[in-house]
């Protein structure tokens, strides 16, 4: 085979080149190299070690002229051997600005040649290695006061950072930036070689700051224990903060860009339920309404884009992430419980349908994301011209439908974004939405013929856990058994396919391979999904699997002094070991583990789980007291602890499972965040009581399905009719 060594790099060994060529050959004749460096036959001129990876993000860079290495000992040993610094680039496959920096810099032969001659270059997929991402994101934030992707970090062979940033234009003055990537590479390489003491001092200071940032905010378990458990007053303070910064016109915070996670909708719903505060409910529902009416929501295909670039939720950043959609399904389903609004139920359904239609692997797992870009342009797949819509809808033979669609979805000849239209709904109307079903189907079919954005088909344990929760919760609340069935299938996929040879959970699955030992969030999110799945199916194996994962979480990640580490002792030892204490676009593994422990304690009557949750809350008491908005998902656990949870059991005669449906439907309609649900036929009660003791003495009275609503082991009178159960669940303090 011809030599495909990147420019300026030492020649790749023949054995390595053969392995790389073999890896590309396995991708088949449909494989399209992502590079403009091609020979006359369309074959890539260059190849690097990323061709041996399964991550879609790393494979995007396999034919750059940069001599990329994956993260690992080989790369750092090479840097040590050559006496060079390391350039570390971290991103993910659907990151728009990652694509921009690739096109401008990593595909630039002159920049690549300089990198290859003076550095060892490493690429990391942040979604596969959140531990690496967290460490070096802390470094960039310490240096610049901000962070983001692509992340660009300069390291020594000892993996210690001495400089960093995010996106850089290729040369000075590019995109208005004062410092270009190529000049910066030159200056930092020169400093590394000429002034090693300066580099060493920068590394020492930066590593100390990273360790303090990631581990030093906790003190000792005893010190934070003296603060006491966080109480509902931290929730009061958090809601007051959001009240002050809330956008009363468009929902969300009064700023742009706007992320769905900027307003803790699920916390506001709980606060409203516990206090009766109407303003908290208004903030939650207005935000949900405006997000679903804007361009942030895919009005044709369902599902949410990642964030809005403007205050109106109109112009999104067009990538779609599995975790956003999973979290929003739960928020909309819970809001439906609280308000009964059919538009919230519809959005939850449409989002679930989008995931099952477009983001589900043949084996049942869920893909990670889709790109913002297609055909080299952001948003091209999703936007429309007015004349294009007219032509397609007029073909339906009903001009009135065309005009109604244009009015409902804010379509005008000039468009609302760069001459095109992002569909949005200025005046939501469910009757109009129903009437336009055929028009939407027509345009969806037309759109499906366009070149679609890239889909990242790796399957992550953590994000699948979130989606299992979403489908289980939506299926239970919306009485949609097919969502629950999809959640069961996904759980089976993750629990069987994302396993290593040692039986341990793995982070990522792609191309038939399960890779990377799972982290705290993988275990915690999947356990939460399995708890929700038990309460949607009442199949006790899901609860037992959740308990096993929670036990593993304690064994691998718990710090006896309090809190949890992101990584276990079995993971690679990085320069710092994070204790997650921030809820961003995704909740932290810490916050989910806290609520898991409380829920398992109520389900199993095992006091140890409550003690585990209290230990974790005490460890984070200082953060929750001083900066509760940093951990709004952890406040769900504080709210749970501040409320005496209900234990609800439904028991039916063995031959009368269908007759229990009305009772279970009542439970599904009610917003009961602090609760444990259990249900079984009478013949299974004794066995179930070994895992869920509170069902142990429950019977189907008079041969009829019977519901029990209890707190602290004290139960109201058993009821066998839906109206009676409805009344008990509505009683204040019941």
């Amino acid at each position: 085979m011809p030599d495909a060594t990147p420019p300026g790099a030492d020649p790749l060994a023949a054995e390595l080149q053969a392995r790389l060529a073999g890896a590309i050959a396995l991708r088949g004749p449909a494989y399209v190299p992502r590079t403009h460096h091609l020979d006359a036959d369309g074959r890539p001129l260059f190849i690097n070690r990323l061709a041996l990876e399964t991550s879609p993000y790393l494979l995007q860079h396999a034919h750059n002229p940069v001599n990329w290495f994956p993260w690992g000992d080989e790369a750092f040993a090479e840097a040590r051997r050559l006496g060079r610094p390391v350039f570390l680039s971290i991103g993910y496959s659907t990151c728009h600005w990652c694509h921009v920096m690739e096109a401008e810099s990593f595909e630039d032969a002159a920049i690549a040649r300089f990198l290859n001659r003076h550095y060892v270059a490493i690429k990391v997929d942040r979604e596969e290695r959140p531990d690496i991402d967290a460490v070096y994101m802390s470094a960039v934030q310490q240096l610049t006061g901000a962070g983001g992707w692509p992340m660009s970090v300069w390291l020594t062979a000892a993996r210690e950072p001495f400089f960093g940033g995010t996106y850089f234009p290729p040369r000075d003055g590019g995109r208005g930036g004062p410092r270009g990537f190529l000049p910066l590479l030159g200056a930092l390489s020169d400093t590394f070689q000429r002034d090693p003491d300066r580099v060493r001092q920068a590394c020492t200071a930066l590593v100390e700051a990273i360790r303090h940032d990631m581990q030093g905010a906790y003190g000792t378990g005893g010190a934070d224990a003296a603060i006491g458990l966080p109480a509902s007053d931290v929730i009061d303070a958090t809601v007051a903060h959001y009240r002050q910064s809330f956008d009363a016109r468009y929902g969300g915070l009064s700023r742009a860009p706007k992320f769905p996670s900027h307003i803790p909708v699920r916390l506001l719903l709980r606060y409203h339920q516990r206090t009766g505060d109407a303003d908290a409910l208004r903030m939650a529902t207005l935000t949900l309404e405006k997000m679903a009416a804007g361009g942030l929501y895919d009005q044709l295909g369902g599902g949410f884009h990642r964030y809005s670039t403007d205050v109106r939720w109109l112009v999104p950043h067009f990538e779609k992430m599995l975790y956003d959609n999973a979290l929003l399904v739960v928020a909309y389903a819970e809001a439906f419980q609280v308000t009964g609004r059919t538009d919230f139920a519809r959005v939850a359904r449409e989002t679930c349908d989008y995931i099952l239609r477009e983001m589900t692997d043949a084996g049942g797992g869920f893909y990670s994301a889709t790109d913002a870009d297609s055909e080299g342009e952001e948003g091209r797949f999703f936007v429309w011209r007015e004349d294009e819509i007219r032509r397609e809808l007029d073909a339906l033979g009903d001009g009135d439908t065309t005009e109604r669609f244009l009015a409902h979805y804010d379509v005008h000849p000039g468009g609302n974004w760069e001459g095109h239209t992002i569909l949005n709904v200025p005046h939501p109307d469910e009757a109009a939405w129903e009437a336009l079903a055929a028009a939407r189907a027509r345009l969806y079919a037309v759109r499906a013929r366009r070149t679609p954005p890239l889909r990242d088909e790796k399957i992550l344990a953590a994000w699948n856990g979130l989606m299992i929760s979403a489908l289980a919760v939506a299926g239970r609340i919306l009485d949609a058994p097919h969502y629950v069935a999809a959640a069961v299938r996904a759980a089976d996929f993750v629990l069987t396919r994302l396993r290593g040879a040692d039986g341990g959970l793995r982070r990522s699955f792609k191309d038939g391979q399960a890779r990377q030992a799972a982290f705290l969030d993988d275990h915690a999110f999947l356990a939460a999904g399995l708890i929700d799945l038990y309460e949607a199916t009442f199949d006790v194996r899901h609860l037992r699997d959740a308990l096993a994962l929670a036990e593993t979480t304690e064994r691998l990640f718990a710090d006896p002094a309090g809190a949890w580490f992101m990584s276990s002792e079995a993971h690679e030892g990085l320069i710092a070991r994070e204790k997650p204490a921030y809820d961003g676009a995704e909740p932290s593994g810490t916050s989910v583990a806290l609520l898991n422990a409380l829920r398992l304690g109520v389900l199993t009557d095992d006091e140890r789980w409550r003690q585990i949750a209290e230990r974790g809350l005490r460890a984070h008491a200082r953060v929750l007291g001083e900066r509760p908005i940093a951990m709004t998902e952890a406040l769900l656990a504080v709210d749970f602890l501040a409320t005496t949870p209900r234990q609800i059991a439904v028991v039916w005669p063995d031959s009368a499972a269908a007759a229990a449906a009305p009772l279970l439907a009542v439970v599904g309609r009610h917003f009961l965040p602090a609760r444990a649900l259990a249900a079984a036929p009478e013949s299974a009660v004794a066995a179930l009581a070994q895992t869920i003791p509170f069902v142990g003495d429950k019977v189907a009275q008079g041969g009829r399905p019977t519901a029990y609503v209890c707190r602290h082991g004290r139960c109201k009178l058993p009821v066998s009719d839906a109206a009676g159960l409805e009344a008990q669940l509505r009683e204040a303090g019941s």
Side-chain angles (χ1 to χ4, degrees):
M1 61 173 286
D3 186 358
T5 299
D10 292 340
L12 301 179
E15 181 272 336
L16 175 59
Q17 291 223 39
R19 286 173 57 213
L20 295 172
I24 295 302
L26 286 174
R27 303 190 191 284
Y31 177 70
V32 178
R34 183 186 167 99
T35 181
H36 66 259
H37 296 282
L38 303 169
D39 66 14
D41 297 319
R43 294 173 302 192
L45 295 175
F46 309 116
I47 195 168
N48 59 62
R49 289 165 176 81
L50 300 186
L52 301 174
E53 300 297 309
T54 61
S55 157
Y57 176 62
L58 299 186
L59 289 171
Q60 287 175 357
H61 295 268
H63 300 292
N64 292 160
V66 176
N67 186 30
W68 293 112
F69 285 71
W71 179 277
D73 292 340
E74 180 188 12
F76 290 102
E78 185 73 353
R80 192 173 293 107
R81 181 181 74 81
L82 296 172
R84 295 179 182 175
V86 169
F87 172 70
L88 171 64
S89 177
I90 301 177
Y92 56 100
S93 70
T94 58
C95 164
H96 173 71
W97 284 99
C98 298
H99 302 333
V100 172
M101 192 164 178
E102 177 191 15
E104 292 178 344
S105 292
F106 304 145
E107 281 280 287
D108 183 302
I111 291 175
R113 185 175 288 107
F114 189 90
L115 254 177
N116 297 339
R117 286 177 174 170
H118 296 88
Y119 288 86
V120 171
I122 296 176
K123 262 283 175 198
V124 167
D125 181 340
R126 69 170 296 264
E127 294 170 356
E128 284 196 333
R129 291 299 303 268
D131 55 336
I132 296 171
D133 181 65
V135 167
Y136 296 103
M137 179 62 76
S138 175
V140 169
Q141 289 172 335
Q142 298 291 332
L143 287 164
T144 69
W149 302 277
M151 197 192 312
S152 305
V153 193
W154 282 257
L155 317 177
T156 68
R159 311 182 193 209
E160 296 180 342
F162 60 91
F163 191 79
T166 53
Y167 163 82
F168 292 98
R171 291 168 176 83
D172 288 352
R175 295 185 183 272
R179 200 72 185 271
F181 184 55
L182 182 57
L184 192 57
L185 286 172
L188 291 171
S189 173
D190 185 67
T191 299
F192 183 87
Q193 301 298 341
R194 294 178 180 273
D195 197 350
D197 286 343
R198 182 180 175 189
V199 171
R200 193 176 305 112
Q201 290 169 7
C203 287
T204 299
L206 197 49
V207 169
E208 182 179 349
I210 292 168
R211 288 174 177 160
H212 182 269
D213 176 44
M214 298 180 74
Q215 300 169 190
Y218 300 93
T220 65
D224 277 335
I227 300 175
L229 280 171
S232 58
D233 60 334
V234 300
I235 301 175
D236 299 341
T238 304
V239 173
H241 166 82
Y242 285 108
R243 211 186 310 271
Q244 290 295 318
S245 53
F246 185 70
D247 183 338
R249 184 174 182 184
Y250 295 113
L253 297 185
S254 298
R255 69 186 195 205
K258 285 187 172 182
F259 287 78
S261 59
H262 280 169
I263 286 285
V265 167
R266 296 181 66 209
L267 180 67
L268 292 172
L269 294 176
R270 283 154 176 76
Y271 185 78
H272 164 71
Q273 186 202 47
R274 186 164 50 81
T275 67
D277 187 306
D279 202 38
L281 181 61
R282 179 186 64 86
M283 289 191 287
T285 56
L286 181 66
T287 300
L288 293 175
E289 177 185 316
K290 294 297 185 180
M291 286 195 301
L296 182 79
Y297 186 65
D298 182 351
Q299 303 293 338
L300 293 183
F304 289 84
H305 300 290
R306 186 159 176 256
Y307 64 86
S308 173
T309 62
D310 67 323
V311 298
R312 297 168 50 200
W313 304 103
L314 173 63
V315 182
H317 183 43
F318 287 91
E319 65 188 312
K320 287 182 176 180
M321 312 301 293
L322 180 65
Y323 60 79
D324 282 325
N325 285 284
L327 294 165
L328 286 166
V329 165
V330 177
Y332 278 89
E334 290 188 344
F336 168 67
Q337 284 183 307
V338 174
T339 66
R341 286 179 54 166
T342 57
D343 56 331
F344 292 162
R346 170 179 60 80
V347 171
R349 287 193 190 95
E350 288 180 334
T351 304
C352 289
D353 292 343
Y354 150 68
I355 294 295
L356 297 183
R357 185 180 63 246
E358 299 184 27
M359 297 295 288
T360 303
D361 177 79
F366 303 116
Y367 299 138
S368 292
T370 54
D371 210 328
D373 301 7
S374 58
E375 300 182 76
E377 295 181 22
E378 182 173 8
R380 183 184 180 103
F381 181 78
F382 296 99
V383 299
W384 297 85
R385 296 189 317 275
E386 188 248 12
D387 62 330
E388 183 183 15
I389 292 176
R390 281 191 179 277
R391 181 178 67 249
E392 295 298 337
L393 295 188
D394 284 349
L396 293 174
D398 181 359
D400 183 58
T401 294
T402 300
E403 297 305 322
R404 288 187 69 183
F405 186 96
L406 296 176
H408 185 72
Y409 287 105
D410 193 29
V411 181
H412 305 284
N416 54 24
W417 181 66
E418 298 183 357
H420 291 79
T421 290
I422 300 169
L423 300 181
N424 70 104
V425 184
H427 306 291
D429 180 333
E430 287 299 285
W433 174 86
E434 290 181 9
L436 293 170
R440 284 193 305 276
R442 170 85 178 192
L443 293 180
Y444 179 83
V446 170
R447 192 178 78 175
R449 296 195 290 269
R450 298 174 178 174
T451 301
L454 176 144
R455 183 171 64 188
D456 186 326
E457 295 186 355
K458 70 176 178 293
I459 295 170
L460 296 175
W463 297 4
N464 272 249
L466 293 175
M467 198 65 225
I468 290 165
S469 277
L471 289 165
V473 169
R476 182 176 65 81
I477 292 173
L478 305 177
D479 191 21
H482 63 295
Y483 295 156
V484 178
V488 170
R489 192 161 172 253
D492 290 342
F493 181 95
V494 175
L495 289 170
T496 55
R497 304 298 296 279
L498 273 77
R499 293 288 186 187
D502 60 356
L505 187 65
R506 291 295 181 264
R507 169 78 174 175
S508 179
F509 181 90
K510 180 75 168 60
D511 296 340
Q513 299 180 48
R515 299 173 62 128
Q516 185 56 239
F519 297 96
L520 170 63
D521 59 343
D522 297 299
H523 288 80
F525 293 6
L526 184 54
L530 291 166
I531 297 170
D532 287 322
L533 196 50
Y534 169 72
E535 293 190 337
T537 64
F538 303 115
D539 183 341
V540 73
R541 73 183 171 101
H542 300 307
L543 180 57
R544 289 172 180 154
D545 286 337
L547 283 162
L549 277 169
E551 293 285 5
T552 302
T553 301
E554 290 308 296
R555 177 170 53 83
L556 295 181
F557 304 103
D559 180 355
W564 294 270
F565 292 104
M566 173 190 280
S567 57
S568 71
E569 295 285 358
H571 282 90
E572 176 184 359
L574 301 175
I575 60 175
R577 190 178 177 201
E578 184 187 18
K579 287 182 175 178
Y582 178 75
D583 296 318
E586 301 169 60
S588 67
T590 296
S591 295
V592 177
L594 286 167
L595 190 55
N596 286 350
L598 290 171
R599 294 179 70 187
L600 290 173
V602 178
L603 276 161
T604 65
D605 285 323
D606 185 345
E607 184 63 20
R608 184 174 70 95
W609 290 112
R610 182 184 176 97
Q611 292 168 355
I612 286 169
E614 290 184 354
R615 180 202 69 199
L617 285 167
R618 284 195 174 93
H620 291 277
R622 194 177 305 280
V623 172
L624 289 170
E626 296 173 357
R627 294 183 295 114
I629 62 169
M631 295 188 75
T632 55
E633 291 288 324
L635 295 179
L636 301 185
V638 175
D639 182 81
F640 192 102
L641 198 62
T643 309
T644 305
R646 294 180 175 115
Q647 293 173 317
I648 302 170
V650 178
V651 180
W652 57 85
D654 288 4
S655 60
L663 295 177
L664 296 174
V666 169
V667 177
R669 285 197 299 271
H670 278 266
F671 183 54
L672 305 166
R675 55 86 178 76
L677 307 179
E682 275 191 305
S683 62
V685 165
L688 181 60
Q690 296 177 24
T691 306
I692 307 178
F694 71 78
V695 303
D697 59 350
K698 307 302 187 288
V699 297
Q701 292 199 337
R704 300 174 63 196
T706 305
Y708 298 81
V709 179
C710 311
R711 273 180 164 150
H712 286 319
R714 299 179 62 182
C715 301
K716 291 190 167 292
L717 291 174
V719 291
S720 294
D721 62 296
L725 179 58
E726 182 100 29
Q728 286 193 1
L729 295 180
R730 285 190 181 280
E731 286 180 26
S734 65

